[in-house]
Amino acid sequence: DMINPETGVRYVVEASRKGNEARGFHIWSLEEIANIGELKYGEGLTWNDTTSNMNEKYDKNWSTNQVKKAYQNNKHRITDEEE
């Protein structure tokens, strides 16, 4: 396998990751989910403003729908980790 000398990651892995991101797939970290919850419910932002903040913080281009679904599908992971 060819390895990207800049990242040390196999090109096929990078291509797969980029392809998944392009199709809207992303493995959400607990930190990202917690940040979404804090912005939306802690600060009372709209979903659009929450998405804008997340995109700026993580240098991404997520849609509002992606961010909303990510939170709704993963918010249980935050409370599970805290118990």
Side-chain angles (χ1 to χ4, degrees), residues 15-78:
S16 177
R17 185 179 302 126
K18 288 177 183 176
N20 282 335
E21 290 258 333
R23 288 190 305 278
F25 300 118
H26 176 73
I27 306 285
W28 294 89
S29 70
L30 287 177
E31 176 187 349
E32 290 167 333
I33 299 302
N35 284 334
I36 294 170
E38 177 58 30
L39 290 168
K40 175 65 179 145
Y41 299 104
E43 295 184 23
L45 299 182
T46 64
W47 278 113
N48 287 338
D49 288 341
T50 297
T51 301
S52 293
N53 275 277
M54 290 294 292
N55 283 335
E56 186 174 317
K57 180 173 183 169
Y58 292 99
D59 193 27
K60 297 289 184 180
N61 191 25
W62 291 313
S63 69
T64 299
N65 193 44
Q66 282 176 291
V67 171
K68 187 175 182 178
K69 281 186 175 181
Y71 184 74
Q72 291 171 341
N73 293 337
N74 292 286
K75 62 185 175 187
H76 68 279
R77 292 173 53 209
I78 298 168

